């Protein structure tokens, strides 16, 4: 494990003798690393050098380090190596289009537009370049299609590889890792996770040699505070931390939290203590955001990111700041902000500006305040990110999505709450999420330290906060599961048997097998204990079987008596039958040889312990059985559904192969791949015009963020759309029943919540009317529409003549206005 040394005020790193020796070895053995270092304007950290050296040695590498530590320097070295050769190519994959766009622009600045490409599904720029930035899904699709763009590929960078834990998209990362040619070296970049070595061991097993480089040191130290009334109080005891011991909670913070956020004298403490014992403890108050912004400004702690965990909360915070008269910019900054906005938003239509809230948004920017969340128009998010990076914005109110990948560091991060809504309930944020969020605090090369501020509220426990802030528990757990599209693609390439073995090499199965090792060890220990219990419960005759029989009779009597404790629950006949059973069991109990043993009670207690442990052991054995080969079993069930539906069938040699319908399914990617294939196969789309076609496509991608009621038929588009939707709903019901009969989880009913709005948009309705119809923010509508375009584009690739033509017309109808606006970087 590599740890980054502390940097003194002068900026030069203080290296230990061992690190100096390692650095000298790098200079001797790694000329490419040395040449790359010479090109940088700063000295690389030891973990960066180690990662680069691994690549020069011909290894793959997993780099796990905190946000902002500079992991991408290792990826940039991979690009440098590729560009130093005559033909080598490198793919840089990222989980989000925004991050892909950001990396594309950086590489263009470094290598020129001719050498760099971008592929994000709805954007294709120079795809045959030697450096191509793309989303992970694009690379997965290339691998299954056997694209010639894979020729001469030397490196693949997987940025934010910890995304493979994402339950919706995580499987794509594992598909890529498993199926990349072995000649391609993998550069995996991850946040600090607690099981990096386990993930590295798996990479070593499925790829070629892989070196694991872990750094847990933040590039800029983090000072952590709690806002108590009008005062920033250190979370940890500074004197204790300075001595090098384990950080402990600041005693002043504990006292203030106990007494409503106030510093009090000894006499006041006694008075408050008496009132507190009678339920009269004083309540603290929450500082107004504008006052907190002023406080941070006075203490030179701006720029700051306030994490609010709610889109509406972010927008409301900006409105509140404007009402309160917050103004954080000077005249020259306002001029630069307005010029940037006008340049970046010049293509937006004048009639859309009001619907987009443009003028209020611009006013906030000119005052140095903005929101950042997924509901913003992509162009607006772009501008916010650029202005913040240029230090023109001073305060951004953001949801947690900002913590993922985008380069927007601040001097201070403010957490207004330590819980968030996960779609079902309000839950505490995890230590891993806390680390990700506070990772934005501290700008390397600018700040001596970063700062986090937690807003105190009634009931906040300083000890719990300290535990959250000091733990680094962020395990990386696989979310991999076989899909219909994956099954067809793999069976077509490898056959069913080899596909089964390939899937058993997934990280999901690797983790399950490791868990099985621990469970098996526990089973062995408990089996040894069972043998000991059997010895302890032998009676004078040396028999333990009699004792277990005797204990079983006692247990049966006890269970029957408990079941009859509520006589109203059973009929008189049932109660009479139960009483006869109890009487019979008691007769057998008294007649049992163990009943007259002088050690009867002692032996019975051992028998009860043996029985409980036996039951626990059987449960563990059941867990082992379900985990062993779990991924392959799911694949078998998926395959059976595909066989039953005619997407797979045995050939003349008995080998399972895709049918013509299966080959269509192999080119359909998405959560509802089989339903879409069935709808095309059963001609559900026939007879729809372009607007209805676009409207029906929404049900395959749209998911409401809120609980929505059933949309009444009268609000759905009229004409052929209704018939198509009814047929599609019937297909979903049949497939859902089929999946559940094969012990698969099934799927939720497709949502029609966006159908009417998309229908109106395709027919030329204004943006304002459509946003009101859909009850969506502009950014959400653009995002969903682009996903609909992606799906329609798939239909143009796999559909038959009329369907293909109508899908293309639908694309043209909805790719207009704010949806059509797209710069490289949006």
């Amino acid at each position: 494990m590599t740890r980054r040394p502390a940097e003194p005020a002068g900026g030069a790193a203080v290296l230990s003798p061992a690190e100096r020796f390692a650095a000298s070895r790098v200079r001797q053995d790694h000329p490419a690393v040395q040449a790359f270092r010479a090109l940088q304007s700063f000295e690389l950290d030891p973990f960066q050098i180690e990662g680069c050296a691994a690549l020069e040695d011909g290894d793959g590498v997993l780099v796990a380090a905190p946000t902002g530590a500079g992991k991408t320097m290792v990826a940039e070295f991979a690009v440098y190596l590729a560009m130093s050769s005559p033909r080598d190519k490198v793919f840089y994959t990222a989980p989000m289009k925004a991050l892909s766009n950001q990396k594309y622009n950086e590489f263009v600045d470094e290598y020129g537009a001719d050498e760099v490409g971008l592929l994000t599904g709805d954007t294709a720029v120079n795809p045959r370049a030697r450096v191509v930035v793309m989303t992970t899904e694009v690379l997965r699709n290339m691998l299954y299609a056997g694209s010639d763009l894979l020729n001469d590929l030397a490196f693949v960078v997987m940025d934010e590889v910890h995304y493979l834990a994402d339950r919706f998209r995580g499987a794509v990362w594992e598909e890529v890792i498993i199926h990349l040619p072995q000649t391609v070296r993998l550069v995996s970049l991850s946040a600090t996770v607690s099981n990096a070595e386990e993930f590295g061991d798996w990479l070593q097993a499925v790829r070629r040699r892989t070196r694991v480089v872990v750094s847990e040191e933040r590039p800029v130290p983090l000072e952590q505070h709690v806002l108590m009334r009008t005062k920033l109080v250190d979370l940890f005891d500074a004197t204790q931390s300075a001595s090098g011991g384990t950080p402990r909670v600041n005693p002043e913070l504990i006292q203030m939290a106990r007494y409503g956020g106030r510093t009090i004298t000894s006499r006041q403490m006694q008075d408050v203590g008496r009132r507190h014992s009678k339920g009269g403890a004083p309540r603290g108050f929450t500082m107004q955001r504008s006052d907190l912004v002023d406080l941070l400004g006075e203490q030179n702690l701006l720029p700051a990111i306030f994490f609010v965990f709610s889109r509406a909360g972010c927008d409301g915070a900006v409105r509140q700041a404007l009402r309160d008269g917050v103004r954080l910019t000077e005249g020259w900054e306002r001029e630069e902000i307005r010029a940037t906005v006008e340049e970046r938003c010049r293509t937006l239509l004048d009639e859309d500006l009001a619907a987009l809230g443009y003028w209020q948004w611009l006013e906030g920017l000119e005052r140095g305040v903005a929101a950042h969340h997924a509901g913003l128009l992509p162009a607006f998010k772009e501008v916010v990110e650029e202005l913040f990076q240029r230090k023109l914005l001073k305060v951004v109110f953001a949801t947690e999505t900002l913590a993922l990948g985008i380069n927007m560091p601040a001097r201070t991060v403010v957490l207004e709450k330590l819980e968030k809504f996960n779609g079902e309930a309000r839950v505490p944020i995890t230590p891993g999420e806390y680390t990700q969020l506070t990772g934005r605090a501290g700008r390397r090369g600018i700040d001596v330290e970063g700062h986090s501020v937690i807003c105190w509220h009634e009931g906040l426990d300083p000890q719990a906060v300290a535990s959250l802030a000091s733990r680094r528990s962020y395990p990386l757990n696989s979310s991999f599961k076989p899909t219909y599209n994956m099954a067809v693609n793999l069976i077509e390439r490898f056959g069913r048997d080899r596909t089964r073995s390939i899937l058993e090499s997934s990280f999901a199965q690797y983790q399950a097998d490791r868990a099985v090792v621990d469970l098996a060890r526990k089973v062995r220990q408990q089996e040894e204990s069972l043998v000991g219990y059997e010895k302890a419960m032998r009676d004078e005759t040396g028999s333990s079987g009699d004792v277990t029989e005797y204990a079983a009779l006692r247990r049966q009597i006890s269970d029957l008596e408990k079941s009859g404790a509520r006589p109203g629950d059973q009929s008189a006949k049932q109660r009479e039958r139960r009483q006869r059973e109890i009487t019979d069991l008691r007769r057998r109990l008294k007649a049992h040889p163990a009943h007259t043993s002088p050690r009867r009670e002692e032996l019975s207690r051992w028998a009860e312990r043996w029985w409980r442990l036996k039951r626990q052991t059987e449960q563990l054995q059941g867990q082992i059985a379900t985990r062993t080969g779990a991924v392959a079993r799911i694949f078998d069930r998926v395959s059976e559904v595909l066989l039953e539906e005619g997407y797979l069938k045995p050939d003349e040699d008995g080998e399972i192969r895709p049918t013509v319908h299966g080959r269509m399914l192999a080119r359909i990617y998405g959560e509802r791949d089989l339903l879409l294939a069935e709808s095309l196969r059963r001609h559900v789309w026939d007879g729809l015009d372009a607007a209805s076609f676009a409207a029906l496509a929404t049900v395959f991608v749209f998911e409401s963020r809120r609980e929505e009621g059933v949309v009444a038929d009268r609000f759905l588009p009229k004409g052929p759309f209704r018939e198509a939707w009814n047929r599609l709903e019937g297909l979903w019901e049949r497939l859902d029943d089929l999946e559940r009969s094969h012990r698969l989880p099934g799927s939720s009913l497709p949502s029609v919540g966006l159908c009417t709005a998309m229908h109106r948009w395709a027919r030329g309705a204004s943006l304002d009317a459509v946003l009101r119809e859909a009850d969506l923010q502009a950014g959400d509508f653009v995002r969903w529409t682009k996903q609909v375009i992606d799906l329609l584009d798939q239909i143009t690739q796999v559909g038959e003549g009329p369907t293909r033509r109508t899908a293309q017309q639908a694309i043209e109808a909805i790719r207009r206005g704010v949806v059509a606006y797209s710069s490289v970087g949006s």
Side-chain angles (χ1 to χ4, degrees), residues 537-786:
M537 59 191 210
R538 287 195 180 101
D539 61 12
E540 291 80 357
T541 66
S543 169
S544 61
D546 287 345
V547 178
T548 56
E549 290 173 6
Y550 183 76
L553 289 171
R554 292 175 59 154
R555 198 162 47 248
Q556 286 178 270
I557 293 170
S558 175
D559 291 344
L560 283 169
E561 289 177 337
K562 288 177 183 176
S563 70
R566 297 186 301 274
D569 292 349
Q570 295 176 324
S571 66
K573 185 176 290 187
Q574 288 173 320
R575 290 197 299 273
E576 184 180 338
R577 183 169 59 249
R578 187 186 62 255
Q579 190 56 48
R580 284 200 302 270
E581 289 179 25
I582 292 173
T583 301
D584 180 61
L585 286 169
R586 282 179 173 160
R587 179 185 55 75
R588 291 168 57 193
L589 185 75
K590 291 179 180 178
H592 197 282
H595 190 68
T596 56
S597 170
R599 298 179 57 215
R600 180 182 69 191
E601 294 305 318
E602 176 193 351
L603 295 173
S604 295
R605 283 194 297 272
W606 279 111
E608 281 299 315
R609 294 171 189 165
W610 177 89
W611 178 79
R612 284 196 298 270
L613 189 61
K614 178 73 171 174
R615 186 173 59 179
Q616 292 173 7
T617 304
E618 289 171 350
Q619 290 171 346
L620 290 175
Q621 289 169 333
Q623 290 182 40
I624 290 173
T626 58
R627 294 189 184 197
T628 304
V631 175
R633 275 200 303 277
I634 295 173
F635 166 72
D636 288 340
R637 294 167 190 168
V638 166
S639 300
E640 291 303 318
V641 169
L642 293 173
L643 281 164
E644 192 166 328
E645 288 298 294
Y647 288 89
L648 299 173
K649 72 173 183 180
D651 61 16
E652 56 272 14
D653 298 323
E655 293 290 328
I656 301 299
R657 297 294 179 193
T659 63
V660 62
H661 303 301
R663 286 190 287 275
M664 175 183 67
L665 175 58
R667 299 165 65 192
I668 294 174
Y669 301 95
E671 287 287 311
R672 301 185 183 274
D673 48 6
L674 183 58
L675 180 61
L676 178 57
E678 276 290 276
S679 69
L680 291 168
R681 179 183 175 188
R682 309 295 178 186
H683 304 287
V684 168
W685 303 81
D686 292 3
L688 295 178
D689 60 14
S692 297
F693 206 102
L696 189 63
T698 66
V699 308
F700 291 90
V701 299
F702 179 69
E703 293 177 5
S704 175
R705 297 182 69 247
R706 299 175 296 275
E707 287 294 326
E708 61 175 354
V710 177
V711 177
D713 284 348
R714 68 179 182 275
F715 295 124
L716 291 175
K718 296 183 172 65
F721 175 89
R722 303 275 183 97
E723 181 183 349
W725 164 244
N726 290 334
R727 292 181 62 195
L728 183 65
E729 189 175 17
L731 277 180
W732 169 79
E733 289 176 352
R734 187 177 63 78
L735 288 178
D736 189 62
D737 290 342
L738 179 63
E739 287 174 324
R740 295 181 190 280
S741 70
H742 284 276
R743 291 179 294 160
L744 290 168
S747 61
S748 60
L749 175 68
S751 171
V752 295
L754 191 58
C755 290
T756 304
M758 189 61 66
H759 190 268
R760 295 189 65 189
W761 178 250
R763 291 171 64 90
S766 69
L767 177 65
D768 182 56
V770 169
L771 293 182
R772 281 189 279 106
E773 174 73 49
D775 191 21
L776 285 176
Q777 293 180 298
D780 288 323
F781 178 71
V782 170
R783 188 176 72 257
W784 289 122
T785 305
K786 287 189 173 183

Side-chain angles (χ1 to χ4, degrees), residues 166-185:
D166 184 87
R167 66 191 183 101
F168 297 110
R169 299 173 57 208
V172 177
W173 273 255
E174 290 191 49
E175 289 179 80
V176 169
I177 291 170
I178 292 171
H179 300 305
L180 270 177
Q182 287 295 322
T183 54
V184 178
R185 274 181 280 166

Side-chain angles (χ1 to χ4, degrees), residues 242-538:
S243 66
T246 302
R248 70 172 185 176
V249 182
N250 186 351
E252 180 188 3
L253 176 63
I254 295 175
Q255 175 186 303
M256 293 180 73
R258 187 176 300 154
Y259 300 110
R262 296 186 301 163
T263 302
I264 56 179
T265 65
S266 299
R267 174 167 296 197
Q268 287 173 324
M269 186 181 295
Q270 293 172 4
D271 294 340
V272 171
R274 284 192 292 271
R275 291 199 302 274
H276 182 62
S277 66
K278 300 176 182 178
R283 296 177 61 84
F285 66 84
T286 301
M287 197 177 199
Q288 291 291 322
R289 290 192 183 105
S290 55
D291 294 330
L292 176 53
V293 169
D294 289 342
L295 177 63
L296 296 177
E298 291 166 3
Q299 300 198 19
N300 196 28
L301 295 179
L302 295 178
I305 298 172
F306 284 62
F307 283 110
V308 182
F309 300 136
S310 157
R311 298 177 180 190
C314 292
D315 295 335
V318 173
R319 289 193 297 271
Q320 181 187 38
L322 298 184
R323 283 196 307 270
D324 292 347
V326 170
R327 190 177 298 276
L328 305 171
T329 54
E330 299 179 17
W332 67 270
E333 291 175 312
R334 290 191 287 276
E335 290 177 6
E336 284 201 27
I337 288 169
R338 180 173 283 273
T340 300
V341 171
E342 290 176 351
E343 169 64 22
R344 299 300 294 273
C345 298
R346 67 184 186 280
T347 60
L348 296 178
L349 302 177
D350 290 344
E351 58 264 32
D352 290 342
L353 297 182
L356 295 171
Y358 173 86
W359 303 111
Q360 299 92 322
W361 173 68
L362 177 58
E363 182 187 2
L365 294 179
E366 289 184 328
R367 293 205 203 174
V369 179
H372 188 287
H373 55 71
L376 282 181
L377 191 70
F380 286 11
K381 279 202 298 182
E382 256 181 60
V383 170
V384 171
E385 292 159 10
E386 178 183 341
L387 294 178
F388 197 80
Q389 290 166 12
R390 290 167 55 188
K391 309 183 188 69
L392 295 172
L393 284 182
K394 316 301 181 184
V395 172
V396 169
F397 298 98
T399 57
E400 69 271 25
T401 54
L402 189 147
L404 301 171
I406 302 300
N407 181 25
M408 278 183 66
R411 177 163 294 172
T412 303
V413 162
V414 178
L415 300 180
E416 296 196 344
K417 293 183 179 179
L418 296 179
E419 62 178 21
K420 65 176 185 175
F421 186 69
N422 67 357
E424 298 177 357
R426 299 205 68 83
V427 296
I429 64 172
T430 66
E433 289 168 334
Y434 181 89
T435 302
Q436 282 282 98
L437 296 169
T438 56
R440 291 285 162 203
R443 299 163 299 175
R444 191 170 189 176
I446 300 175
D447 298 321
V448 177
E449 73 273 324
H451 297 264
S452 69
V453 176
I454 298 166
C455 296
W456 184 85
H457 59 80
E458 195 75 27
L460 194 66
D461 180 6
Q463 294 286 356
V465 175
S467 175
L468 180 73
S470 59
R471 288 171 60 199
R472 290 294 179 265
S473 175
Y474 188 15
L476 183 60
N477 295 315
S478 173
S479 62
F480 182 84
K481 58 183 179 182
T483 65
Y484 296 110
N485 168 277
M486 184 194 305
V488 171
N489 272 295
L490 294 181
I491 289 172
E492 185 169 32
R493 292 181 66 191
F494 305 113
R496 188 176 184 179
D497 291 341
R498 189 177 168 205
T499 293
R500 210 173 184 278
S501 64
I502 288 171
L503 294 177
E504 287 180 331
S505 69
S506 66
F507 187 46
Q509 190 58 57
Y510 185 83
Q511 287 190 308
D513 290 342
R514 282 203 162 190
V516 164
V517 170
D518 293 334
L519 289 172
R521 185 183 302 114
K522 191 169 183 179
V523 165
R524 286 195 298 273
Q525 292 171 347
Q526 294 191 176
E527 286 175 340
E528 292 172 2
S529 298
L530 286 171
V531 172
Y533 286 2
E534 288 171 1
K535 290 180 181 177
M537 59 191 210
R538 287 195 180 101

